[in-house]
């Protein structure tokens, strides 16, 4: 969405023959040549003139007005005589040509040469100076061709920084001439984990993964990006995420190994030692990196560095004493500051993930805030530049659909609506520091992105939403308008062989209580289309368009699937709802202990007739109690006989979720006098991730009130994940029959 756009009457047909530029302006000439190439029309001529004016029809004028205050600003005027493009600097002209490219290419009738464009005046400039996209090539390797295609798309959507994550535990992907083993050994891993890293049993494939970029290829990509006004920020991870470097040169570690290039995901205990030998090695590496990348920033990672090895390392402990450091956090800070001094001497600025704040920030460092906004707020408040990349809105390795058949991702849920809603200036940042927020960036970690098809599927169209967040004015934000504009981009992206999701239009639902019944409401994206519903009746399925309204009173058990059908008749993935009208479905509930707000969607979720999914603990149907028992009273509104009560528990120690020890059910007819009517105890041998306890009640007695007590696992024992903390208790539907 440009800052200002005024449409005239109708459109004009052009057959561009000339591009007019001023004499002796090699940069503009290069840009014009680039644009001709983009249009694949060799018949367009460049004319260098003294004065820029329309002397003939069918021409584009490219003019520079040398205004220093707004380097990205541009103006496009489409007139009956031709197209006039004006900008402060060449990069503004480039942005203008990208806008023009969108105007031309998104109209499917336009072919090379003859084009139809609406008469229009556009005046535009970006809101943020840093507009970034990241790509991890360590977890999975992507060829130079794929990188170039990625850069092309970033340019089209006016991103100006590409953060190239070149090294990690699972691979070293950049040739370093002084240390050839980094790629001889570190660029190859023998096999890779299959499925999600929390899956049990753990499985591996038999495929060797190998690949790195030679320095010649790096130069080629840097040049390619420069032509598209994109700066590349290389990332060389240190001192953590360094298994590949350690495998190549074991003396860099605290224990001398042996180490191997990682074939699974996560955070590894073996990290770079802080000794001088290792620091000097990394400085040598950075010397070659600095020579390859002309931009001012070098990213050194700095995240997720466990300190266990340092605590028992003679060299690291000696450094602690030598520099009078209080703890291992300060030791990490020492390491980063040494690297920063080195980069500073080379005329470069250091960027690190927000962990570099721990133990004290290096004096000129720029911080990428990924663990929420806190790190960004803290760094900006210390007058440091910040790039916002919070996991909640900017991690494009998260799911973009809730559909259970969506291709495997690391987790999370970051739909395009959430990306579009993102505001890079944190609400709790003192406005006097907001100038330190340079912009934002989306990160594409590739543990679960094994090829380019999935890469573009995860990146687009979410990157387009981020592009508007970063470029357009805040007051122009309008999600419905964005989705409408998006409809012009998607068909064109498909012609570029990009595999796209229509998850942005998938249906969602909410449930509310109405009398003794639950009511289902379909939640639709603000885009034209219709809801299709299929009810399952025994074996006979039938499809029907949803008749009226967006709500459905659930007076009986039912099994339905619902789709959103877009105007081009394409269907989004369905939602599947199985509603079980049990005796407590739609009843009232009063919580004696409050659930954790992080895992609590609404009061009724636990008795709404919809079971929680048995394969994951996220989503609105699960309720989480942090270290507490679950305790609540269910009011069935009238006395009724009850045979049994069924529960859902989750058991996932890796996330500190442990099953309940015990369940006690008390019942009453008057909410005053309760008697214990049933209980359940956990078998100490339970290994299953999902547990369904059943409590049988004494038959033939009627009750109106049920007091349910689910006892938390309590303090986690030594040797188990989360030892010393109190456990999470996750509870799904309580089914009363
Ligand atoms: Zn050490």
């Amino acid at each position: 969405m440009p800052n200002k756009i005024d449409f005239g009457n109708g459109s004009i047909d052009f057959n561009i023959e000339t591009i007019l530029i001023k004499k002796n302006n090699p940069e503009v000439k290069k840009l014009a040549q680039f644009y001709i190439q983009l249009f694949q029309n060799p018949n367009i001529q460049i004319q260098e003139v003294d004065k820029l004016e329309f002397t003939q029809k069918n021409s584009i004028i490219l003019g520079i007005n040398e205004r220093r205050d707004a380097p990205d600003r541009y103006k496009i005027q489409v007139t009956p005589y031709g197209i006039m493009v004006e900008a402060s600097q060449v990069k503004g002209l480039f942005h203008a040509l990208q806008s023009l490219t969108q105007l031309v290419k998104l109209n499917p009738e336009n072919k090379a040469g003859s084009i139809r464009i609406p008469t229009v005046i556009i005046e535009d400039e970006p809101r943020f100076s840093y507009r970034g996209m990241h790509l991890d090539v360590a977890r999975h390797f992507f060829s130079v061709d794929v990188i170039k295609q990625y850069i092309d798309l970033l340019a089209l959507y006016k991103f100006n920084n590409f953060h190239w994550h070149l090294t990690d535990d699972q691979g070293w992907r950049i040739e370093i001439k002084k240390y050839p083993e980094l790629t001889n050994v570190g660029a190859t891993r023998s096999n890779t984990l299959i499925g999600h890293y929390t899956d049990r049993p753990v499985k591996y494939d038999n495929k060797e993964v190998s690949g790195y970029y030679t320095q010649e290829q790096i130069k080629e990509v840097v040049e390619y990006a420069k032509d598209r006004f994109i700066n590349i920020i290389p990332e060389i991870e240190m001192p953590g995420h360094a298994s590949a470097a350690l495998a190549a040169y074991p003396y860099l570690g605290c224990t001398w190994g042996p180490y191997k290039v990682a074939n699974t995901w996560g955070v590894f205990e073996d990290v770079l030692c802080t000794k001088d030998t290792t620091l000097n090695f990394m400085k040598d590496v950075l010397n070659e990196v600095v020579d390859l990348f002309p931009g001012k920033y070098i990213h050194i990672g700095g995240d997720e560095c466990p300190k266990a090895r340092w605590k028992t390392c003679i060299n690291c402990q000696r450094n602690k004493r030598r520099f009078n450091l209080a703890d291992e956090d300060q030791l990490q800070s020492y390491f980063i500051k040494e690297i920063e001094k080195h980069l500073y001497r080379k005329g470069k600025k250091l960027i690190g993930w927000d962990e570099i704040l721990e133990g004290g920030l290096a004096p000129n460092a720029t911080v990428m805030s990924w663990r929420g906004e806190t790190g960004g707020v803290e760094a900006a408040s210390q007058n440091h530049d910040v790039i916002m990349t919070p996991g909640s809105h900017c991690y494009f390795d998260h799911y973009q659909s809730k559909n259970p058949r969506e291709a495997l991702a690391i987790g999370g849920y970051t739909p395009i609506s959430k990306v579009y809603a993102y505001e890079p200036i944190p609400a709790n940042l003192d406005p006097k520091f907001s100038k330190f927020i340079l912009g934002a960036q989306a990160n594409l970690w590739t543990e679960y992105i094994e090829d380019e098809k999935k890469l573009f599927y995860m990146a687009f169209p979410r990157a387009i939403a981020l592009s508007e967040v970063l470029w357009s004015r805040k007051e122009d934000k309008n999600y419905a308008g964005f989705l409408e504009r998006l409809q012009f981009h998607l068909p064109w992206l498909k012609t570029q062989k990009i595999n796209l999701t229509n998850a942005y239009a998938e249906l969602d639902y909410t449930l509310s209580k109405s009398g003794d019944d639950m009511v289902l409401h379909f939640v639709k994206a603000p885009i034209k289309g219709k809801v299709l519903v299929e009810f399952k009746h025994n074996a006979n399925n039938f499809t029907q368009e949803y008749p009226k309204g967006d709500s459905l009173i659930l007076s009986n058990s039912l099994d339905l699937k619902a789709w959103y059908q877009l105007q081009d008749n394409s269907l989004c993935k369905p939602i599947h709802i199985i509603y079980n009208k049990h005796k407590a479905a739609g009843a009232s509930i009063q919580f004696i202990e409050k659930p954790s707000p992080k895992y609590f969607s609404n009061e009724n979720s636990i008795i709404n007739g919809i079971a929680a999914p048995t394969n994951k603990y996220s989503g609105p149907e699960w309720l989480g109690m942090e270290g507490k028992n679950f305790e609540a009273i269910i009011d069935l509104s009238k006395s009724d006989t009850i045979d049994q009560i069924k529960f859902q528990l989750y058991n996932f120690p890796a996330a500190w979720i442990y099953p309940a020890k015990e369940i006690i059910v008390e019942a009453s007819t008057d909410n005053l006098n309760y008697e214990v009517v049933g209980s359940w105890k956990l078998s100490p041998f339970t290994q299953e991730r999902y547990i369904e306890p059943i409590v049988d009640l004494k038959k033939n007695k009627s009750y109106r009130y049920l007091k349910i007590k689910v006892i938390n696992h309590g303090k986690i024992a030594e040797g188990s994940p989360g030892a010393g903390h109190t456990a999470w208790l996750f509870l799904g539907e309580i089914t009363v029959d």
Side-chain angles (χ1 to χ4, degrees):
M1 186 56 163
N3 292 184
K4 201 172 158 204
I5 181 159
D6 292 319
F7 285 104
N9 298 320
S11 301
I12 297 166
D13 290 311
F14 287 110
N15 197 343
I16 299 299
E17 289 160 355
T18 45
I19 295 181
L20 298 166
I21 61 171
K22 267 203 168 162
K23 270 185 186 154
N24 304 323
N25 207 328
E27 271 186 302
V28 178
K29 190 171 180 184
K30 192 177 168 199
L31 188 66
Q33 282 161 341
F34 178 78
Y35 192 65
I36 291 168
Q37 199 191 335
L38 199 72
F39 259 74
Q40 295 166 333
N41 184 353
N43 300 326
I44 302 176
Q45 302 295 318
I46 296 172
Q47 265 184 36
E48 295 183 76
V49 293
D50 289 318
K51 194 160 180 248
L52 286 174
E53 58 188 1
F54 289 119
T55 48
Q56 60 199 72
K57 275 196 161 190
N58 290 326
S59 39
I60 299 179
I61 287 178
L62 295 183
I64 295 277
N65 59 24
E66 303 291 354
R67 281 184 55 168
R68 290 271 155 236
D69 57 331
D72 288 287
R73 189 181 293 168
Y74 71 86
K75 185 175 180 183
I76 299 174
Q77 295 177 80
V78 179
T79 74
Y81 306 100
I83 301 169
M84 170 102 80
V85 179
E86 194 185 6
S88 315
Q89 292 178 20
V90 185
K91 66 173 166 173
L93 274 186
F94 181 77
H95 296 317
L97 290 179
Q98 294 301 320
S99 292
L100 210 50
T101 304
Q102 291 189 15
L103 276 171
V104 173
K105 290 205 171 174
L106 301 187
N107 181 352
E109 287 165 18
N110 284 336
K111 304 277 179 291
S114 175
I115 52 171
R116 171 168 292 182
I117 303 189
T119 52
V120 69
I121 299 175
I122 294 172
E123 286 177 64
D124 206 9
E125 66 183 316
R127 181 175 167 209
F128 289 100
S129 64
Y130 186 101
R131 303 178 301 278
M133 286 288 290
H134 152 287
L135 181 63
D136 165 12
V137 296
R139 272 57 177 266
H140 282 98
F141 180 70
F142 297 93
S143 69
V144 167
D145 284 344
V146 173
I147 301 295
K148 285 181 175 174
Q149 195 188 355
Y150 194 65
I151 288 171
D152 281 340
L153 287 165
L154 300 197
L156 183 63
Y157 291 106
K158 302 192 178 78
F159 287 94
N160 62 355
N161 281 283
F162 168 45
H163 173 171
W164 206 357
H165 185 80
L166 287 163
T167 74
D168 213 302
D169 294 302
Q170 296 80 6
W172 185 282
R173 308 282 179 221
I174 173 172
E175 178 192 23
I176 300 296
K177 302 228 170 177
K178 188 163 183 185
Y179 299 114
E181 299 303 305
L182 283 172
T183 42
N184 287 343
V185 174
T188 306
R189 63 173 180 262
S190 48
N191 56 7
T192 305
L193 183 83
I194 306 176
H196 200 268
Y197 79 114
T198 57
D199 289 352
R200 294 293 177 274
V202 177
K203 283 188 217 148
Y204 296 90
D205 64 14
N206 287 315
K207 271 186 287 185
E208 193 179 88
V209 176
S210 192
Y212 68 91
Y213 309 102
T214 63
Q215 295 204 350
E216 283 313 304
Q217 286 175 317
I218 298 261
K219 283 180 200 160
E220 182 189 329
V221 172
V222 166
E223 204 51 38
Y224 190 86
K226 194 172 153 234
D227 283 346
R228 287 152 184 81
F229 292 82
I230 288 178
N231 171 54
I232 300 187
I233 299 173
E235 180 178 354
I236 308 296
E237 268 270 13
M238 62 188 89
H241 286 295
S243 301
L246 291 171
Y249 294 95
Y251 68 81
L252 299 175
C254 293
T255 65
W256 287 59
Y259 306 108
K260 67 166 190 172
V261 182
N263 56 357
T264 181
W265 321 124
V267 173
F268 297 83
E269 294 282 321
D270 285 307
V271 300
L272 297 179
C273 183
T274 63
K275 64 195 169 199
D276 292 352
T277 320
T278 306
L279 266 168
N280 291 333
F281 181 100
M282 293 317 288
K283 287 175 189 172
D284 288 342
V285 167
L286 289 173
N287 288 344
E288 293 191 31
V289 172
V290 161
D291 288 344
L292 288 167
F293 293 92
K296 67 176 172 183
Y297 288 121
I298 305 284
H299 201 304
I300 54 80
D303 60 315
E304 298 183 326
C305 180
K307 311 292 189 295
R309 295 288 178 267
W310 293 357
K311 284 181 182 161
T312 54
C313 167
I314 298 171
N315 290 308
C316 288
Q317 291 307 310
R318 188 186 295 138
N319 268 352
K320 242 174 81 181
R321 289 192 299 275
R322 184 169 136 205
F323 301 109
N324 203 16
L325 305 171
D327 55 21
E328 280 68 26
D329 277 349
Q330 289 195 2
L331 196 54
Q332 159 139 348
S333 181
Y334 154 76
F335 188 99
I336 304 288
K337 282 175 181 165
E338 283 298 303
I339 294 293
E340 200 224 359
K341 266 188 261 171
H342 184 73
L343 288 175
Y344 189 75
R345 279 195 291 270
K346 297 244 153 205
K348 298 288 180 181
K349 284 196 84 169
L350 175 146
I351 302 188
W353 301 107
D354 56 49
E355 283 94 334
I356 65 169
L357 280 152
E358 293 161 9
L361 203 50
N364 299 294
T366 298
V367 171
M368 269 189 186
S369 184
W370 72 281
R371 297 175 302 176
E373 297 186 322
T374 319
V377 171
E378 199 184 323
S381 308
Q382 296 176 30
N383 298 342
H384 280 259
D385 284 342
V386 171
I387 294 153
M388 300 301 292
T389 66
S392 54
H393 294 78
C394 294
Y395 270 43
F396 288 2
D397 56 339
H398 287 179
Y399 284 105
Q400 49 194 328
S401 161
K402 285 185 187 170
N403 192 283
R405 272 179 289 177
E406 184 73 5
L408 184 69
I410 192 163
Y413 177 54
T414 307
I416 191 169
S417 54
K418 195 173 180 189
V419 178
Y420 189 79
Y422 180 54
E423 169 49 42
I425 307 279
N428 60 342
L429 178 69
D430 186 329
K432 72 179 183 225
F433 298 117
S434 62
K435 64 172 187 241
F436 292 107
I437 308 290
L438 304 182
Q441 170 178 293
N443 295 336
L444 264 165
W445 302 104
T446 58
E447 286 96 332
Y448 302 95
I449 298 177
E450 50 286 316
D451 57 26
E452 63 258 37
K453 200 174 160 207
K454 198 162 172 190
L455 161 64
F456 289 109
Y457 177 81
M458 297 303 273
F460 289 89
R462 286 187 287 193
I464 304 177
L466 183 66
S467 157
E468 274 215 8
V469 167
L470 293 169
W471 184 282
S472 303
R473 294 186 309 179
K474 196 179 167 185
E475 54 268 38
D476 291 334
K477 213 175 232 199
N478 174 339
Y479 185 56
F482 168 73
L483 285 188
E484 208 175 295
R485 286 194 293 287
L486 192 61
Q487 298 315 303
F488 292 90
H489 292 254
L490 300 179
W492 179 80
L493 285 167
K494 279 180 193 157
T495 67
Q496 304 303 295
K497 308 247 183 309
I498 289 173
N499 179 24
L500 289 161
T501 177
N502 56 12
Y504 62 89
E506 273 169 22
L507 285 179
D508 200 353
Y509 69 91
T510 60
L511 288 158
S512 65
K513 203 168 113 63
S514 167
D516 288 342
D517 286 323
M518 297 302 295
V519 183
L520 173 72
H521 311 272
F522 290 112
V523 179
K524 302 183 294 188
I527 181 166
K528 282 186 190 139
K530 53 191 173 184
V531 178
L532 289 177
V533 183
E534 182 183 280
F535 293 97
K536 188 174 177 186
H537 288 284
N538 303 319
N540 302 319
N541 295 351
F542 66 91
T543 305
Q544 64 170 61
E545 188 183 328
Y546 194 65
K548 49 184 183 291
D550 292 327
S551 303
L552 189 64
I553 295 169
L554 302 172
S555 38
N556 294 300
S557 293
L558 58 79
D559 182 338
L560 70 79
K561 281 184 181 177
W563 294 260
Y564 202 55
Q565 186 174 36
L566 297 171
Q567 275 190 308
D568 65 359
N569 290 329
S570 63
L571 286 173
C572 300
K573 284 181 185 158
I575 47 170
H576 186 189
I577 296 166
I578 300 171
Y579 175 71
N580 172 20
K581 173 92 185 141
H582 59 79
K583 289 189 175 178
S588 305
I589 186 162
Q590 186 201 339
F591 288 94
I592 297 167
E593 278 290 354
K594 284 262 175 279
S596 161
K598 254 167 93 181
Y599 294 99
F600 178 54
S601 59
N602 64 74
E603 299 236 313
N604 287 96
S605 68
I606 202 146
I607 46 166
N608 63 3
I610 295 186
T614 59
N615 62 343
K616 58 175 187 182
Y617 63 92
S618 58
E621 301 302 336
W622 283 105
L623 173 153
M625 305 290 301
E626 190 173 11
K628 288 190 209 161
N629 298 335
F630 171 88
E631 210 178 335
I633 294 171
I634 297 171
D635 177 1
L636 303 173
S637 80
K638 58 178 188 292
S639 280
D640 206 345
T641 53
I642 297 166
D643 294 340
Q644 62 161 227
I645 305 177
K646 208 165 75 187
F647 295 83
Q648 293 187 289
L649 297 174
Y650 213 70
N651 177 19
F652 192 30
W656 306 6
I657 298 169
Y658 287 79
K661 285 197 290 203
E662 194 180 352
I663 297 173
I664 302 153
V665 179
E666 294 176 54
S668 163
T669 52
D670 57 5
N671 201 15
L672 294 168
N673 303 300
Y674 278 90
E675 57 173 319
V676 175
V677 292
S679 64
W680 169 90
K681 269 196 164 70
L682 180 73
S683 152
F685 307 108
T686 305
Q687 295 285 321
E688 289 78 23
R689 188 160 292 181
Y690 170 72
I691 304 162
E692 210 171 76
I694 291 174
V695 175
D696 284 310
L697 274 65
K698 292 176 213 154
K699 302 271 163 72
N700 301 322
K701 240 185 134 176
S702 289
Y703 300 102
R704 176 174 164 178
Y705 300 95
L706 296 168
K707 191 188 277 182
I708 312 274
K709 223 175 186 180
V710 184
I711 310 297
N712 190 300
H713 172 89
K715 198 171 169 187
I716 302 168
E718 273 313 307
S720 302
H725 297 266
T726 48
W728 280 90
L729 167 66
F730 268 68
L731 195 64
E733 182 76 0
I734 300 175
T735 305
V736 178
D737 286 318

